[in-house]
Amino acid sequence: MRLGLIGFGNIALTLLGQLAETLDAPLEHLTVLCLPEMTGETQARLAGDFAKIAKEAAVVSDAGALLADRPDLVVECAGHGAVTAHVPPVLRAGIDVVIVSIGAMSDAALERELRAAAAGGGARLILPAGAIGGIDLLAALGAAGGLEVRYRGSKPPLAWRGTPAEAVTDLAALSEAHTFFTGTAREAARDFPRNANVAATLALAGAGFEATHVELVADPAALGNVHEYSVVSPLAKYSMRIENQPSAGNAKTSVSTVYSVLREIRNRIGPVAI
C-alpha cells in the first residue's frame, strides 16, 4: 500500500506505532503532509523511529505534493483546518480519504464540498467509528427514518481545558459531574472541535446534526472518556456506554480512535474486511 498521512501529531504517531507492530510487511510508500516548519523534525522521526514502516517515505507540505506520490489511501488526523485545506483536492483526484476530524463536517458548506468532491472524483470519504461503537446499527436504522438520538460525553475536567467550557465552569474546582453544554450535534462539534467528533459521527450516521441531542460533561470521577448514547427507532431501540482510555499524548482523544483508523487501513490491506 501507498499510504498518505495528513498531520504528524499524537494520533499520527500512535497510528504509525501500531502499524509498525501489526503490519505483515512494510508499506510500499508513506507520505506525510505536515506544516512547512515541521518538515525537518518529521523527516528525522520517520528516518529514526519509523524507518522500517515503509520501503520509501517522503514529507511534503501541500496537497499537490501529496498527490504526486500517488497514495492509494489518505488518512487525515490534523484537525478541522486540515480537512478544509487538503481533503477536497485529494477526493477530487479520485483518492479515498479517512478523516479523523469528523466534526469539521458540522460546517454545512464544507460537508457539501466534501460530498461533491468525492462524487466528482469517484472517491470515497470514509468516516471511521472512532471512539464510539454501534455505528453500523445506527446507520442501518437511519434508512427507515424516525430516529431519536441522544448523546452524553463525559471526560475529566483536564480534557476540557482550552475549550469554551472554561468560560462557564470552574473546571479546577469541580467536585462532582457538571453538565456545561446542552444543544445539537452541530453546535457541539462546532464549539468543541477537539472533543466532540463523536457527536458528529452519530449525527452523520443517524438523525442529522440538528436532530441529534448532545450533553457534554466534566466529571472529576471519570477515569477516561465516557461516551453514552441512546437510539429510538421504529425498528429497534438500543443504548450504549463506552469507557475509553484517553490517549497518552492528548487527554481530549480516546486511544480507541487510533485503533479505529488502524482497522480501516488493515481492512484495505488484508484479504478479509470486518
Side-chain angles (χ1 to χ4, degrees):
M1 170 182 275
R2 300 179 68 86
L3 178 66
L5 280 183
I6 299 175
F8 201 66
N10 177 66
I11 291 177
L13 292 170
T14 306
L15 175 62
L16 289 176
Q18 291 302 317
L19 284 171
E21 292 182 7
T22 60
L23 287 179
D24 295 328
L27 297 168
E28 180 181 346
H29 194 280
L30 172 65
T31 305
V32 176
L33 190 163
C34 66
L35 295 172
E37 60 268 27
M38 296 295 295
T39 299
E41 179 181 340
T42 303
Q43 289 174 331
R45 291 295 300 273
L46 288 179
D49 298 341
F50 306 111
K52 296 181 179 181
I53 198 170
K55 297 176 183 177
E56 299 178 328
V59 179
V60 300
S61 57
D62 62 78
L66 173 64
L67 292 172
D69 277 347
R70 300 176 291 108
D72 301 310
L73 178 70
V74 171
V75 176
E76 172 281 319
C77 45
H80 290 200
V83 176
T84 302
H86 304 302
V87 173
V90 175
L91 292 170
R92 284 194 290 267
I95 298 169
D96 294 351
V97 180
V98 178
I99 67 167
V100 173
S101 308
I102 295 176
M105 294 180 71
S106 62
D107 181 329
L110 177 59
E111 181 184 356
R112 290 193 296 270
E113 181 182 7
L114 293 172
R115 290 181 182 274
R124 296 174 67 222
L125 179 63
I126 301 168
L127 310 180
I132 199 68
I135 294 300
D136 52 348
L137 178 57
L138 177 58
L141 296 177
L147 285 178
E148 296 180 17
V149 182
R150 303 182 70 87
Y151 164 72
R152 178 182 174 92
S154 303
K155 298 183 180 183
L158 175 64
W160 298 109
R161 289 180 180 173
T163 77
E166 290 185 313
V168 295
T169 307
D170 186 351
L171 296 173
L174 287 178
S175 58
E176 59 185 19
H178 175 67
T179 301
F180 60 83
F181 172 88
T182 300
T184 68
R186 189 179 305 281
E187 293 166 334
R190 179 195 66 203
D191 296 342
F192 300 87
R194 294 186 177 184
N195 295 77
N197 282 310
V198 165
T201 302
L202 292 171
L204 288 161
F209 279 101
E210 307 302 339
T212 301
H213 179 83
V214 174
E215 294 182 359
L216 300 179
V217 181
D219 185 358
L223 299 178
N225 300 335
V226 181
H227 304 288
E228 302 171 271
Y229 74 101
S230 62
V231 176
V232 177
S233 154
L235 304 181
K237 300 177 182 179
Y238 75 97
S239 59
M240 183 167 290
R241 174 186 170 91
I242 301 173
E243 298 183 20
N244 284 301
Q245 292 299 311
S247 172
N250 184 356
K252 294 178 171 62
T253 300
S254 298
V255 69
S256 59
T257 298
V258 180
Y259 283 80
S260 177
V261 177
L262 176 66
R263 169 180 168 270
E264 296 289 350
I265 296 172
R266 289 176 60 84
N267 277 345
R268 279 298 186 96
I269 296 174
V272 178
I274 187 169

PDB file of all heavy atoms in Angstrom, residues 120-153:
ATOM      1  N   GLY A 120     -17.381  13.780  -7.541  1.00  0.00           N
ATOM      2  CA  GLY A 120     -16.714  14.208  -8.760  1.00  0.00           C
ATOM      3  C   GLY A 120     -15.474  13.403  -9.079  1.00  0.00           C
ATOM      4  O   GLY A 120     -15.166  13.147 -10.250  1.00  0.00           O
ATOM      5  N   GLY A 121     -14.758  12.988  -8.051  1.00  0.00           N
ATOM      6  CA  GLY A 121     -13.530  12.227  -8.258  1.00  0.00           C
ATOM      7  C   GLY A 121     -13.734  10.725  -8.275  1.00  0.00           C
ATOM      8  O   GLY A 121     -12.788   9.974  -8.530  1.00  0.00           O
ATOM      9  N   GLY A 122     -14.957  10.284  -7.978  1.00  0.00           N
ATOM     10  CA  GLY A 122     -15.194   8.850  -7.883  1.00  0.00           C
ATOM     11  C   GLY A 122     -14.486   8.227  -6.695  1.00  0.00           C
ATOM     12  O   GLY A 122     -14.093   7.059  -6.726  1.00  0.00           O
ATOM     13  N   ALA A 123     -14.321   9.019  -5.638  1.00  0.00           N
ATOM     14  CA  ALA A 123     -13.622   8.558  -4.430  1.00  0.00           C
ATOM     15  C   ALA A 123     -14.617   8.382  -3.288  1.00  0.00           C
ATOM     16  O   ALA A 123     -15.790   8.754  -3.391  1.00  0.00           O
ATOM     17  CB  ALA A 123     -12.538   9.561  -4.041  1.00  0.00           C
ATOM     18  N   ARG A 124     -14.134   7.840  -2.181  1.00  0.00           N
ATOM     19  CA  ARG A 124     -14.970   7.649  -1.001  1.00  0.00           C
ATOM     20  C   ARG A 124     -14.397   8.443   0.164  1.00  0.00           C
ATOM     21  O   ARG A 124     -13.194   8.412   0.429  1.00  0.00           O
ATOM     22  CB  ARG A 124     -15.052   6.171  -0.618  1.00  0.00           C
ATOM     23  CG  ARG A 124     -15.713   5.306  -1.656  1.00  0.00           C
ATOM     24  CD  ARG A 124     -15.626   3.849  -1.274  1.00  0.00           C
ATOM     25  NE  ARG A 124     -16.427   3.576  -0.084  1.00  0.00           N
ATOM     26  CZ  ARG A 124     -16.019   2.801   0.907  1.00  0.00           C
ATOM     27  NH1 ARG A 124     -14.811   2.274   0.909  1.00  0.00           N
ATOM     28  NH2 ARG A 124     -16.813   2.566   1.948  1.00  0.00           N
ATOM     29  N   LEU A 125     -15.280   9.150   0.858  1.00  0.00           N
ATOM     30  CA  LEU A 125     -14.930   9.823   2.105  1.00  0.00           C
ATOM     31  C   LEU A 125     -15.316   8.865   3.216  1.00  0.00           C
ATOM     32  O   LEU A 125     -16.498   8.590   3.432  1.00  0.00           O
ATOM     33  CB  LEU A 125     -15.697  11.141   2.225  1.00  0.00           C
ATOM     34  CG  LEU A 125     -15.450  11.956   3.491  1.00  0.00           C
ATOM     35  CD1 LEU A 125     -14.009  12.407   3.580  1.00  0.00           C
ATOM     36  CD2 LEU A 125     -16.381  13.162   3.527  1.00  0.00           C
ATOM     37  N   ILE A 126     -14.326   8.344   3.920  1.00  0.00           N
ATOM     38  CA  ILE A 126     -14.543   7.286   4.905  1.00  0.00           C
ATOM     39  C   ILE A 126     -14.554   7.892   6.295  1.00  0.00           C
ATOM     40  O   ILE A 126     -13.601   8.557   6.709  1.00  0.00           O
ATOM     41  CB  ILE A 126     -13.445   6.214   4.786  1.00  0.00           C
ATOM     42  CG1 ILE A 126     -13.455   5.615   3.386  1.00  0.00           C
ATOM     43  CG2 ILE A 126     -13.643   5.131   5.843  1.00  0.00           C
ATOM     44  CD1 ILE A 126     -12.232   4.773   3.079  1.00  0.00           C
ATOM     45  N   LEU A 127     -15.642   7.667   7.024  1.00  0.00           N
ATOM     46  CA  LEU A 127     -15.808   8.205   8.370  1.00  0.00           C
ATOM     47  C   LEU A 127     -15.698   7.047   9.361  1.00  0.00           C
ATOM     48  O   LEU A 127     -16.643   6.284   9.531  1.00  0.00           O
ATOM     49  CB  LEU A 127     -17.175   8.888   8.511  1.00  0.00           C
ATOM     50  CG  LEU A 127     -17.540   9.895   7.421  1.00  0.00           C
ATOM     51  CD1 LEU A 127     -18.916  10.498   7.700  1.00  0.00           C
ATOM     52  CD2 LEU A 127     -16.495  10.986   7.312  1.00  0.00           C
ATOM     53  N   PRO A 128     -14.558   6.882  10.012  1.00  0.00           N
ATOM     54  CA  PRO A 128     -14.392   5.766  10.945  1.00  0.00           C
ATOM     55  C   PRO A 128     -15.251   5.964  12.192  1.00  0.00           C
ATOM     56  O   PRO A 128     -15.623   7.087  12.541  1.00  0.00           O
ATOM     57  CB  PRO A 128     -12.905   5.818  11.281  1.00  0.00           C
ATOM     58  CG  PRO A 128     -12.542   7.261  11.124  1.00  0.00           C
ATOM     59  CD  PRO A 128     -13.373   7.757   9.972  1.00  0.00           C
ATOM     60  N   ALA A 129     -15.546   4.867  12.861  1.00  0.00           N
ATOM     61  CA  ALA A 129     -16.362   4.939  14.078  1.00  0.00           C
ATOM     62  C   ALA A 129     -15.645   5.690  15.188  1.00  0.00           C
ATOM     63  O   ALA A 129     -16.279   6.282  16.061  1.00  0.00           O
ATOM     64  CB  ALA A 129     -16.722   3.531  14.544  1.00  0.00           C
ATOM     65  N   GLY A 130     -14.315   5.686  15.176  1.00  0.00           N
ATOM     66  CA  GLY A 130     -13.573   6.423  16.194  1.00  0.00           C
ATOM     67  C   GLY A 130     -13.779   5.826  17.575  1.00  0.00           C
ATOM     68  O   GLY A 130     -13.651   4.623  17.782  1.00  0.00           O
ATOM     69  N   ALA A 131     -14.128   6.682  18.524  1.00  0.00           N
ATOM     70  CA  ALA A 131     -14.228   6.253  19.918  1.00  0.00           C
ATOM     71  C   ALA A 131     -15.584   5.669  20.270  1.00  0.00           C
ATOM     72  O   ALA A 131     -15.827   5.301  21.416  1.00  0.00           O
ATOM     73  CB  ALA A 131     -13.940   7.441  20.841  1.00  0.00           C
ATOM     74  N   ILE A 132     -16.482   5.568  19.307  1.00  0.00           N
ATOM     75  CA  ILE A 132     -17.842   5.123  19.593  1.00  0.00           C
ATOM     76  C   ILE A 132     -18.106   3.794  18.898  1.00  0.00           C
ATOM     77  O   ILE A 132     -17.400   3.407  17.969  1.00  0.00           O
ATOM     78  CB  ILE A 132     -18.873   6.192  19.141  1.00  0.00           C
ATOM     79  CG1 ILE A 132     -20.232   5.986  19.835  1.00  0.00           C
ATOM     80  CG2 ILE A 132     -19.005   6.219  17.629  1.00  0.00           C
ATOM     81  CD1 ILE A 132     -20.207   6.256  21.306  1.00  0.00           C
ATOM     82  N   GLY A 133     -19.114   3.065  19.350  1.00  0.00           N
ATOM     83  CA  GLY A 133     -19.496   1.794  18.747  1.00  0.00           C
ATOM     84  C   GLY A 133     -20.939   1.817  18.295  1.00  0.00           C
ATOM     85  O   GLY A 133     -21.692   2.757  18.560  1.00  0.00           O
ATOM     86  N   GLY A 134     -21.343   0.777  17.596  1.00  0.00           N
ATOM     87  CA  GLY A 134     -22.727   0.655  17.145  1.00  0.00           C
ATOM     88  C   GLY A 134     -23.086   1.525  15.967  1.00  0.00           C
ATOM     89  O   GLY A 134     -24.268   1.664  15.637  1.00  0.00           O
ATOM     90  N   ILE A 135     -22.087   2.105  15.295  1.00  0.00           N
ATOM     91  CA  ILE A 135     -22.366   2.986  14.161  1.00  0.00           C
ATOM     92  C   ILE A 135     -22.992   2.207  13.009  1.00  0.00           C
ATOM     93  O   ILE A 135     -23.824   2.731  12.265  1.00  0.00           O
ATOM     94  CB  ILE A 135     -21.080   3.700  13.708  1.00  0.00           C
ATOM     95  CG1 ILE A 135     -20.602   4.652  14.797  1.00  0.00           C
ATOM     96  CG2 ILE A 135     -21.299   4.474  12.415  1.00  0.00           C
ATOM     97  CD1 ILE A 135     -21.608   5.725  15.160  1.00  0.00           C
ATOM     98  N   ASP A 136     -22.600   0.928  12.855  1.00  0.00           N
ATOM     99  CA  ASP A 136     -23.188   0.118  11.789  1.00  0.00           C
ATOM    100  C   ASP A 136     -24.693  -0.031  11.984  1.00  0.00           C
ATOM    101  O   ASP A 136     -25.481   0.132  11.041  1.00  0.00           O
ATOM    102  CB  ASP A 136     -22.512  -1.254  11.724  1.00  0.00           C
ATOM    103  CG  ASP A 136     -22.488  -1.972  13.069  1.00  0.00           C
ATOM    104  OD1 ASP A 136     -22.778  -1.350  14.107  1.00  0.00           O
ATOM    105  OD2 ASP A 136     -22.157  -3.179  13.078  1.00  0.00           O
ATOM    106  N   LEU A 137     -25.117  -0.287  13.227  1.00  0.00           N
ATOM    107  CA  LEU A 137     -26.543  -0.440  13.513  1.00  0.00           C
ATOM    108  C   LEU A 137     -27.277   0.887  13.356  1.00  0.00           C
ATOM    109  O   LEU A 137     -28.365   0.946  12.775  1.00  0.00           O
ATOM    110  CB  LEU A 137     -26.739  -0.987  14.923  1.00  0.00           C
ATOM    111  CG  LEU A 137     -28.196  -1.152  15.387  1.00  0.00           C
ATOM    112  CD1 LEU A 137     -28.969  -2.057  14.447  1.00  0.00           C
ATOM    113  CD2 LEU A 137     -28.245  -1.688  16.808  1.00  0.00           C
ATOM    114  N   LEU A 138     -26.683   1.971  13.857  1.00  0.00           N
ATOM    115  CA  LEU A 138     -27.316   3.286  13.751  1.00  0.00           C
ATOM    116  C   LEU A 138     -27.529   3.666  12.291  1.00  0.00           C
ATOM    117  O   LEU A 138     -28.610   4.152  11.908  1.00  0.00           O
ATOM    118  CB  LEU A 138     -26.462   4.338  14.452  1.00  0.00           C
ATOM    119  CG  LEU A 138     -26.964   5.785  14.373  1.00  0.00           C
ATOM    120  CD1 LEU A 138     -28.361   5.926  14.954  1.00  0.00           C
ATOM    121  CD2 LEU A 138     -25.986   6.719  15.091  1.00  0.00           C
ATOM    122  N   ALA A 139     -26.513   3.471  11.450  1.00  0.00           N
ATOM    123  CA  ALA A 139     -26.637   3.805  10.038  1.00  0.00           C
ATOM    124  C   ALA A 139     -27.693   2.948   9.356  1.00  0.00           C
ATOM    125  O   ALA A 139     -28.426   3.418   8.471  1.00  0.00           O
ATOM    126  CB  ALA A 139     -25.284   3.640   9.342  1.00  0.00           C
ATOM    127  N   ALA A 140     -27.793   1.681   9.757  1.00  0.00           N
ATOM    128  CA  ALA A 140     -28.806   0.798   9.180  1.00  0.00           C
ATOM    129  C   ALA A 140     -30.204   1.256   9.565  1.00  0.00           C
ATOM    130  O   ALA A 140     -31.110   1.315   8.722  1.00  0.00           O
ATOM    131  CB  ALA A 140     -28.565  -0.641   9.635  1.00  0.00           C
ATOM    132  N   LEU A 141     -30.406   1.609  10.829  1.00  0.00           N
ATOM    133  CA  LEU A 141     -31.719   2.068  11.283  1.00  0.00           C
ATOM    134  C   LEU A 141     -32.093   3.402  10.640  1.00  0.00           C
ATOM    135  O   LEU A 141     -33.265   3.695  10.430  1.00  0.00           O
ATOM    136  CB  LEU A 141     -31.718   2.215  12.805  1.00  0.00           C
ATOM    137  CG  LEU A 141     -31.521   0.933  13.617  1.00  0.00           C
ATOM    138  CD1 LEU A 141     -31.481   1.262  15.113  1.00  0.00           C
ATOM    139  CD2 LEU A 141     -32.609  -0.080  13.323  1.00  0.00           C
ATOM    140  N   GLY A 142     -31.082   4.216  10.333  1.00  0.00           N
ATOM    141  CA  GLY A 142     -31.347   5.528   9.760  1.00  0.00           C
ATOM    142  C   GLY A 142     -32.089   5.473   8.446  1.00  0.00           C
ATOM    143  O   GLY A 142     -32.818   6.410   8.090  1.00  0.00           O
ATOM    144  N   ALA A 143     -31.936   4.375   7.709  1.00  0.00           N
ATOM    145  CA  ALA A 143     -32.614   4.253   6.419  1.00  0.00           C
ATOM    146  C   ALA A 143     -34.128   4.237   6.572  1.00  0.00           C
ATOM    147  O   ALA A 143     -34.855   4.598   5.640  1.00  0.00           O
ATOM    148  CB  ALA A 143     -32.153   2.979   5.704  1.00  0.00           C
ATOM    149  N   ALA A 144     -34.611   3.843   7.751  1.00  0.00           N
ATOM    150  CA  ALA A 144     -36.057   3.777   7.994  1.00  0.00           C
ATOM    151  C   ALA A 144     -36.625   5.106   8.470  1.00  0.00           C
ATOM    152  O   ALA A 144     -37.841   5.301   8.495  1.00  0.00           O
ATOM    153  CB  ALA A 144     -36.367   2.690   9.023  1.00  0.00           C
ATOM    154  N   GLY A 145     -35.741   6.043   8.877  1.00  0.00           N
ATOM    155  CA  GLY A 145     -36.197   7.343   9.376  1.00  0.00           C
ATOM    156  C   GLY A 145     -36.768   7.239  10.783  1.00  0.00           C
ATOM    157  O   GLY A 145     -36.772   6.185  11.420  1.00  0.00           O
ATOM    158  N   GLY A 146     -37.264   8.365  11.273  1.00  0.00           N
ATOM    159  CA  GLY A 146     -37.906   8.404  12.584  1.00  0.00           C
ATOM    160  C   GLY A 146     -36.970   8.182  13.751  1.00  0.00           C
ATOM    161  O   GLY A 146     -37.395   7.733  14.825  1.00  0.00           O
ATOM    162  N   LEU A 147     -35.697   8.522  13.613  1.00  0.00           N
ATOM    163  CA  LEU A 147     -34.723   8.292  14.678  1.00  0.00           C
ATOM    164  C   LEU A 147     -34.772   9.365  15.755  1.00  0.00           C
ATOM    165  O   LEU A 147     -34.977  10.541  15.467  1.00  0.00           O
ATOM    166  CB  LEU A 147     -33.299   8.274  14.105  1.00  0.00           C
ATOM    167  CG  LEU A 147     -32.825   7.054  13.324  1.00  0.00           C
ATOM    168  CD1 LEU A 147     -31.423   7.305  12.816  1.00  0.00           C
ATOM    169  CD2 LEU A 147     -32.851   5.802  14.183  1.00  0.00           C
ATOM    170  N   GLU A 148     -34.558   8.943  16.997  1.00  0.00           N
ATOM    171  CA  GLU A 148     -34.290   9.851  18.109  1.00  0.00           C
ATOM    172  C   GLU A 148     -32.951   9.438  18.705  1.00  0.00           C
ATOM    173  O   GLU A 148     -32.792   8.302  19.156  1.00  0.00           O
ATOM    174  CB  GLU A 148     -35.383   9.764  19.176  1.00  0.00           C
ATOM    175  CG  GLU A 148     -36.758  10.211  18.706  1.00  0.00           C
ATOM    176  CD  GLU A 148     -37.797  10.095  19.805  1.00  0.00           C
ATOM    177  OE1 GLU A 148     -37.395   9.992  20.996  1.00  0.00           O
ATOM    178  OE2 GLU A 148     -38.993  10.089  19.480  1.00  0.00           O
ATOM    179  N   VAL A 149     -31.972  10.339  18.682  1.00  0.00           N
ATOM    180  CA  VAL A 149     -30.632  10.021  19.160  1.00  0.00           C
ATOM    181  C   VAL A 149     -30.207  11.038  20.210  1.00  0.00           C
ATOM    182  O   VAL A 149     -30.246  12.243  19.963  1.00  0.00           O
ATOM    183  CB  VAL A 149     -29.606  10.006  18.006  1.00  0.00           C
ATOM    184  CG1 VAL A 149     -28.222   9.616  18.531  1.00  0.00           C
ATOM    185  CG2 VAL A 149     -30.039   9.053  16.902  1.00  0.00           C
ATOM    186  N   ARG A 150     -29.787  10.542  21.360  1.00  0.00           N
ATOM    187  CA  ARG A 150     -29.320  11.390  22.449  1.00  0.00           C
ATOM    188  C   ARG A 150     -27.940  10.909  22.882  1.00  0.00           C
ATOM    189  O   ARG A 150     -27.748   9.725  23.173  1.00  0.00           O
ATOM    190  CB  ARG A 150     -30.286  11.351  23.634  1.00  0.00           C
ATOM    191  CG  ARG A 150     -31.712  11.748  23.274  1.00  0.00           C
ATOM    192  CD  ARG A 150     -32.630  11.732  24.497  1.00  0.00           C
ATOM    193  NE  ARG A 150     -32.294  12.814  25.409  1.00  0.00           N
ATOM    194  CZ  ARG A 150     -32.786  14.055  25.310  1.00  0.00           C
ATOM    195  NH1 ARG A 150     -33.627  14.361  24.334  1.00  0.00           N
ATOM    196  NH2 ARG A 150     -32.431  14.976  26.180  1.00  0.00           N
ATOM    197  N   TYR A 151     -26.986  11.843  22.937  1.00  0.00           N
ATOM    198  CA  TYR A 151     -25.605  11.510  23.261  1.00  0.00           C
ATOM    199  C   TYR A 151     -25.140  12.315  24.472  1.00  0.00           C
ATOM    200  O   TYR A 151     -25.450  13.495  24.611  1.00  0.00           O
ATOM    201  CB  TYR A 151     -24.695  11.807  22.063  1.00  0.00           C
ATOM    202  CG  TYR A 151     -23.223  11.851  22.410  1.00  0.00           C
ATOM    203  CD1 TYR A 151     -22.518  10.694  22.712  1.00  0.00           C
ATOM    204  CD2 TYR A 151     -22.531  13.071  22.443  1.00  0.00           C
ATOM    205  CE1 TYR A 151     -21.172  10.742  23.039  1.00  0.00           C
ATOM    206  CE2 TYR A 151     -21.188  13.128  22.769  1.00  0.00           C
ATOM    207  CZ  TYR A 151     -20.506  11.958  23.065  1.00  0.00           C
ATOM    208  OH  TYR A 151     -19.187  12.010  23.393  1.00  0.00           O
ATOM    209  N   ARG A 152     -24.356  11.651  25.337  1.00  0.00           N
ATOM    210  CA  ARG A 152     -23.767  12.300  26.513  1.00  0.00           C
ATOM    211  C   ARG A 152     -22.293  11.943  26.540  1.00  0.00           C
ATOM    212  O   ARG A 152     -21.921  10.762  26.587  1.00  0.00           O
ATOM    213  CB  ARG A 152     -24.469  11.818  27.782  1.00  0.00           C
ATOM    214  CG  ARG A 152     -23.906  12.387  29.097  1.00  0.00           C
ATOM    215  CD  ARG A 152     -24.675  11.777  30.270  1.00  0.00           C
ATOM    216  NE  ARG A 152     -24.131  12.155  31.561  1.00  0.00           N
ATOM    217  CZ  ARG A 152     -24.530  13.202  32.274  1.00  0.00           C
ATOM    218  NH1 ARG A 152     -25.499  13.977  31.805  1.00  0.00           N
ATOM    219  NH2 ARG A 152     -24.003  13.471  33.456  1.00  0.00           N
ATOM    220  N   GLY A 153     -21.440  12.953  26.497  1.00  0.00           N
ATOM    221  CA  GLY A 153     -19.999  12.742  26.541  1.00  0.00           C
ATOM    222  C   GLY A 153     -19.417  13.274  27.835  1.00  0.00           C
ATOM    223  O   GLY A 153     -19.561  14.467  28.144  1.00  0.00           O
TER     224      GLY A 153
END
